[in-house]
PDB file of all heavy atoms in Angstrom:
ATOM      1  N   VAL A 364      -1.206 -23.850  12.777  1.00 98.00           N
ATOM      2  CA  VAL A 364      -0.102 -24.439  12.008  1.00 98.00           C
ATOM      3  C   VAL A 364       1.275 -24.060  12.515  1.00 98.00           C
ATOM      4  O   VAL A 364       2.276 -24.574  12.008  1.00 98.00           O
ATOM      5  CB  VAL A 364      -0.216 -24.085  10.501  1.00 98.00           C
ATOM      6  CG1 VAL A 364      -1.550 -24.537   9.941  1.00 98.00           C
ATOM      7  CG2 VAL A 364       0.039 -22.630  10.225  1.00 98.00           C
ATOM      8  N   VAL A 365       1.367 -23.163  13.494  1.00 98.00           N
ATOM      9  CA  VAL A 365       2.678 -22.824  14.050  1.00 98.00           C
ATOM     10  C   VAL A 365       2.642 -23.060  15.553  1.00 98.00           C
ATOM     11  O   VAL A 365       1.582 -23.015  16.182  1.00 98.00           O
ATOM     12  CB  VAL A 365       3.103 -21.369  13.740  1.00 98.00           C
ATOM     13  CG1 VAL A 365       2.981 -21.080  12.248  1.00 98.00           C
ATOM     14  CG2 VAL A 365       2.342 -20.342  14.550  1.00 98.00           C
ATOM     15  N   ARG A 366       3.831 -23.282  16.116  1.00 98.00           N
ATOM     16  CA  ARG A 366       3.864 -23.579  17.546  1.00 98.00           C
ATOM     17  C   ARG A 366       3.673 -22.315  18.375  1.00 98.00           C
ATOM     18  O   ARG A 366       2.985 -22.311  19.382  1.00 98.00           O
ATOM     19  CB  ARG A 366       5.194 -24.233  17.909  1.00 98.00           C
ATOM     20  CG  ARG A 366       5.198 -24.746  19.347  1.00 98.00           C
ATOM     21  CD  ARG A 366       6.367 -25.660  19.613  1.00 98.00           C
ATOM     22  NE  ARG A 366       7.635 -24.933  19.582  1.00 98.00           N
ATOM     23  CZ  ARG A 366       8.833 -25.521  19.695  1.00 98.00           C
ATOM     24  NH1 ARG A 366       8.916 -26.827  19.827  1.00 98.00           N
ATOM     25  NH2 ARG A 366       9.935 -24.821  19.650  1.00 98.00           N
ATOM     26  N   GLU A 367       4.330 -21.227  17.918  1.00 98.00           N
ATOM     27  CA  GLU A 367       4.258 -19.998  18.710  1.00 98.00           C
ATOM     28  C   GLU A 367       3.914 -18.830  17.826  1.00 98.00           C
ATOM     29  O   GLU A 367       4.690 -18.451  16.935  1.00 98.00           O
ATOM     30  CB  GLU A 367       5.612 -19.758  19.390  1.00 98.00           C
ATOM     31  CG  GLU A 367       5.566 -18.605  20.382  1.00 98.00           C
ATOM     32  CD  GLU A 367       6.937 -18.300  20.986  1.00 98.00           C
ATOM     33  OE1 GLU A 367       7.925 -18.942  20.600  1.00 98.00           O
ATOM     34  OE2 GLU A 367       7.003 -17.388  21.831  1.00 98.00           O
ATOM     35  N   PHE A 368       2.751 -18.239  18.047  1.00 98.00           N
ATOM     36  CA  PHE A 368       2.299 -17.101  17.265  1.00 98.00           C
ATOM     37  C   PHE A 368       2.145 -15.903  18.184  1.00 98.00           C
ATOM     38  O   PHE A 368       1.483 -15.993  19.214  1.00 98.00           O
ATOM     39  CB  PHE A 368       0.957 -17.424  16.596  1.00 98.00           C
ATOM     40  CG  PHE A 368       0.286 -16.229  15.958  1.00 98.00           C
ATOM     41  CD1 PHE A 368       0.930 -15.501  14.973  1.00 98.00           C
ATOM     42  CD2 PHE A 368      -0.982 -15.808  16.352  1.00 98.00           C
ATOM     43  CE1 PHE A 368       0.326 -14.387  14.384  1.00 98.00           C
ATOM     44  CE2 PHE A 368      -1.593 -14.698  15.772  1.00 98.00           C
ATOM     45  CZ  PHE A 368      -0.932 -13.993  14.792  1.00 98.00           C
ATOM     46  N   VAL A 369       2.799 -14.788  17.825  1.00 98.00           N
ATOM     47  CA  VAL A 369       2.661 -13.565  18.608  1.00 98.00           C
ATOM     48  C   VAL A 369       2.171 -12.439  17.693  1.00 98.00           C
ATOM     49  O   VAL A 369       2.589 -12.341  16.546  1.00 98.00           O
ATOM     50  CB  VAL A 369       3.985 -13.137  19.278  1.00 98.00           C
ATOM     51  CG1 VAL A 369       4.404 -14.139  20.319  1.00 98.00           C
ATOM     52  CG2 VAL A 369       5.090 -12.938  18.275  1.00 98.00           C
ATOM     53  N   GLU A 370       1.318 -11.619  18.247  1.00 97.00           N
ATOM     54  CA  GLU A 370       0.785 -10.495  17.466  1.00 97.00           C
ATOM     55  C   GLU A 370       1.749  -9.321  17.523  1.00 97.00           C
ATOM     56  O   GLU A 370       2.446  -9.111  18.511  1.00 97.00           O
ATOM     57  CB  GLU A 370      -0.551 -10.028  18.051  1.00 97.00           C
ATOM     58  CG  GLU A 370      -1.691 -11.011  17.933  1.00 97.00           C
ATOM     59  CD  GLU A 370      -2.452 -10.869  16.618  1.00 97.00           C
ATOM     60  OE1 GLU A 370      -1.947 -10.173  15.698  1.00 97.00           O
ATOM     61  OE2 GLU A 370      -3.539 -11.459  16.497  1.00 97.00           O
ATOM     62  N   MET A 371       1.761  -8.555  16.437  1.00 97.00           N
ATOM     63  CA  MET A 371       2.406  -7.247  16.489  1.00 97.00           C
ATOM     64  C   MET A 371       1.462  -6.299  17.221  1.00 97.00           C
ATOM     65  O   MET A 371       0.266  -6.558  17.325  1.00 97.00           O
ATOM     66  CB  MET A 371       2.606  -6.695  15.077  1.00 97.00           C
ATOM     67  CG  MET A 371       3.673  -7.364  14.289  1.00 97.00           C
ATOM     68  SD  MET A 371       4.001  -6.417  12.789  1.00 97.00           S
ATOM     69  CE  MET A 371       4.543  -7.723  11.726  1.00 97.00           C
ATOM     70  N   THR A 372       1.997  -5.193  17.661  1.00 95.00           N
ATOM     71  CA  THR A 372       1.178  -4.152  18.275  1.00 95.00           C
ATOM     72  C   THR A 372       1.495  -2.815  17.607  1.00 95.00           C
ATOM     73  O   THR A 372       2.674  -2.448  17.541  1.00 95.00           O
ATOM     74  CB  THR A 372       1.487  -4.002  19.786  1.00 95.00           C
ATOM     75  OG1 THR A 372       1.271  -5.254  20.413  1.00 95.00           O
ATOM     76  CG2 THR A 372       0.597  -2.955  20.424  1.00 95.00           C
ATOM     77  N   PRO A 373       0.489  -2.124  17.075  1.00 95.00           N
ATOM     78  CA  PRO A 373      -0.919  -2.504  16.927  1.00 95.00           C
ATOM     79  C   PRO A 373      -1.112  -3.501  15.791  1.00 95.00           C
ATOM     80  O   PRO A 373      -0.168  -3.767  15.037  1.00 95.00           O
ATOM     81  CB  PRO A 373      -1.609  -1.170  16.601  1.00 95.00           C
ATOM     82  CG  PRO A 373      -0.554  -0.367  15.910  1.00 95.00           C
ATOM     83  CD  PRO A 373       0.747  -0.780  16.527  1.00 95.00           C
ATOM     84  N   ASN A 374      -2.311  -4.046  15.658  1.00 95.00           N
ATOM     85  CA  ASN A 374      -2.558  -5.029  14.606  1.00 95.00           C
ATOM     86  C   ASN A 374      -3.943  -4.850  14.014  1.00 95.00           C
ATOM     87  O   ASN A 374      -4.658  -3.906  14.340  1.00 95.00           O
ATOM     88  CB  ASN A 374      -2.361  -6.451  15.139  1.00 95.00           C
ATOM     89  CG  ASN A 374      -3.244  -6.733  16.348  1.00 95.00           C
ATOM     90  OD1 ASN A 374      -4.465  -6.636  16.285  1.00 95.00           O
ATOM     91  ND2 ASN A 374      -2.614  -7.079  17.474  1.00 95.00           N
ATOM     92  N   ARG A 375      -4.278  -5.777  13.131  1.00 96.00           N
ATOM     93  CA  ARG A 375      -5.554  -5.740  12.436  1.00 96.00           C
ATOM     94  C   ARG A 375      -5.745  -4.406  11.733  1.00 96.00           C
ATOM     95  O   ARG A 375      -4.821  -3.906  11.109  1.00 96.00           O
ATOM     96  CB  ARG A 375      -6.713  -6.076  13.384  1.00 96.00           C
ATOM     97  CG  ARG A 375      -6.650  -7.522  13.923  1.00 96.00           C
ATOM     98  CD  ARG A 375      -7.769  -7.770  14.913  1.00 96.00           C
ATOM     99  NE  ARG A 375      -7.861  -9.173  15.274  1.00 96.00           N
ATOM    100  CZ  ARG A 375      -7.146  -9.732  16.248  1.00 96.00           C
ATOM    101  NH1 ARG A 375      -6.280  -9.029  16.942  1.00 96.00           N
ATOM    102  NH2 ARG A 375      -7.316 -11.014  16.532  1.00 96.00           N
TER     103      ARG A 375
END
Side-chain angles (χ1 to χ4, degrees):
Chain A
V364 303
V365 308
R366 188 167 68 185
E367 188 184 3
F368 170 58
V369 294
E370 293 272 13
M371 287 191 209
T372 303
N374 56 59
R375 295 177 171 86

